[in-house]
């Protein structure tokens, strides 16, 4: 049954994407920015609905009142593809920092470009960092929320933290509050797997980090905020009435390895 529900979710996931593209393609690229964002929010919200109805995965948001209305740098834990979609409907005007290669994918990449996502060339060195900062400053000047995964890529549940320089660079350049986010999505939507395990994914919006700290202090505070909170959410899921079948024994030690 679990495999069937996971497989059905994949079908619904791609079907929703196809419907959104087919319905909006004739006019999408002529839409104003707000309308383009609304289209993407509709697709991501529908995907979260399908995740609940088809795969039996519920979503709980904690600390929603900490989500910013204006310019901010959002720094979520990155365990799966779930958070690339689940965070989008929660924010007023989000701008994901994403790999440039993704924006080259026909239709999907074009839609993200139109919605104002920020492309980054991970192999571009200092030039890519300067462009990232310039594009992010432009988005922040419009009051948008820039979403950057501090570890760059998805990490297994319980893996030691591996925070990249990009988050420090944007923190120094943007001079806006940083909103850390902890979650346990990797237990129910594992990376590199089509399985979707029933349960409740918890997204916890944590206390903002103000601008103005030196780089070392900022990074230490960011890790000390996200990692223990993530460990706590993973441990909470593991001790619940219906713990996920993903091994989580190593998770509570992740923060200690930072």
């Amino acid at each position: 049954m679990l495999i069937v529900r996971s497989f059905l979710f994949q079908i619904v996931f791609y079907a929703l994407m196809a419907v959104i593209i087919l319905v909006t393609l004739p006019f999408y690229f002529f839409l104003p920015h707000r309308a383009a964002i609304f289209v993407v929010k509709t697709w991501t919200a529908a995907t979260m609905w399908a995740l609940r109805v088809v795969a039996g995965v519920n979503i709980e948001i904690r600390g929603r009142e900490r989500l910013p209305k204006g310019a901010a740098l959002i720094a979520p834990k990155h365990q799966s593809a779930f958070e690339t979609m689940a965070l989008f409907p929660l924010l007023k005007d989000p701008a994901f920092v994403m790999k440039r290669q993704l924006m080259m994918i026909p239709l999907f990449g074009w839609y993200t470009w139109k919605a104002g996502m920020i492309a980054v060339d991970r192999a571009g060195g200092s030039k890519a960092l300067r462009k990232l900062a310039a594009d992010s400053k432009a988005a922040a000047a419009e009051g948008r929320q820039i979403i950057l995964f501090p570890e760059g890529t998805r990490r297994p549940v319980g893996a030691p933290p591996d925070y990249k320089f990009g988050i420090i660079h944007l923190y120094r350049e943007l001079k806006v509050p940083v909103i850390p986010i902890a979650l346990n999505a990797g237990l129910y939507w594992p990376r590199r797997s089509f399985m979707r395990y029933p349960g409740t994914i918890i997204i916890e919006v944590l206390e903002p980090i103000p601008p103005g700290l030196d780089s070392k202090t900022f990074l230490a505070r960011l890790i000390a905020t996200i990692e223990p909170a993530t460990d706590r959410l993973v441990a909470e899921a593991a001790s619940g009435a219906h713990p996920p079948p993903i091994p989580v024994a190593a998770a509570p030690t992740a923060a200690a390895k930072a």
Side-chain angles (χ1 to χ4, degrees):
M1 184 62 179
L2 178 61
I3 294 177
V4 172
R5 294 184 74 175
S6 299
F7 183 70
L8 286 175
F9 172 74
Q10 293 296 320
I11 293 175
V12 174
F13 173 83
Y14 287 108
L16 286 171
M17 183 188 299
V19 169
I20 290 290
I21 290 175
L22 288 173
V23 170
T24 62
L25 187 59
F27 56 84
Y28 179 76
F29 297 97
F30 301 98
L31 292 175
H33 172 73
R34 295 289 183 183
I37 286 288
F38 176 78
V39 169
V40 180
K41 284 188 175 185
T42 300
W43 171 60
T44 51
T47 300
M48 294 301 100
W49 171 84
L51 187 65
R52 175 175 59 84
V53 173
V54 179
V57 181
N58 297 306
I59 302 170
E60 178 184 343
I61 313 295
R62 297 178 182 175
R64 188 189 291 264
E65 68 280 0
R66 299 189 184 107
L67 290 173
K69 301 295 184 183
L73 181 56
I74 312 296
K77 187 68 177 175
H78 196 16
Q79 295 177 341
S80 76
F82 165 84
E83 48 270 17
T84 64
M85 290 174 286
L87 296 176
F88 208 94
L90 301 179
L91 296 166
K92 182 179 179 181
D93 192 3
F96 268 96
V97 175
M98 55 193 298
K99 291 190 297 184
R100 185 181 64 174
Q101 293 86 338
L102 292 176
M103 298 186 77
M104 297 178 180
I105 298 174
L107 294 179
F108 172 81
W110 305 343
Y111 269 59
T112 61
W113 168 79
K114 172 62 180 176
M117 302 302 104
I118 299 171
V120 60
D121 180 4
R122 290 183 178 175
S126 59
K127 182 179 179 180
L129 282 176
R130 287 194 296 272
K131 186 177 187 308
L132 170 62
D135 292 345
S136 298
K137 282 181 178 179
E142 296 174 354
R144 303 186 68 188
Q145 300 81 49
I146 295 91
I147 305 172
L148 175 66
F149 296 112
E151 295 173 284
T153 189
R154 294 169 295 174
R155 302 278 293 164
V157 175
D162 184 22
Y163 287 57
K164 307 299 184 185
F165 178 72
I167 190 69
I168 300 174
H169 184 63
L170 282 192
Y171 174 75
R172 293 191 312 208
E173 293 291 325
L174 297 184
K175 297 177 174 57
V176 297
V178 173
I179 313 299
I181 295 181
L183 44 80
N184 61 3
L187 298 175
Y188 305 95
W189 184 321
R191 67 176 195 149
R192 300 173 185 173
S193 172
F194 87 98
M195 297 297 290
R196 303 293 176 260
Y197 298 100
T200 300
I201 293 176
I202 302 173
I203 299 173
E204 184 169 354
V205 185
L206 305 167
E207 289 290 340
I209 299 175
L213 303 177
D214 64 82
S215 298
K216 184 176 180 180
T217 302
F218 162 69
L219 183 60
R221 182 165 171 180
L222 182 66
I223 294 174
T225 300
I226 293 177
E227 295 303 318
T230 297
D231 292 344
R232 173 171 47 77
L233 297 181
V234 170
E236 180 180 333
S239 62
H242 303 286
I246 306 295
V248 297
T253 66
K257 297 177 183 178

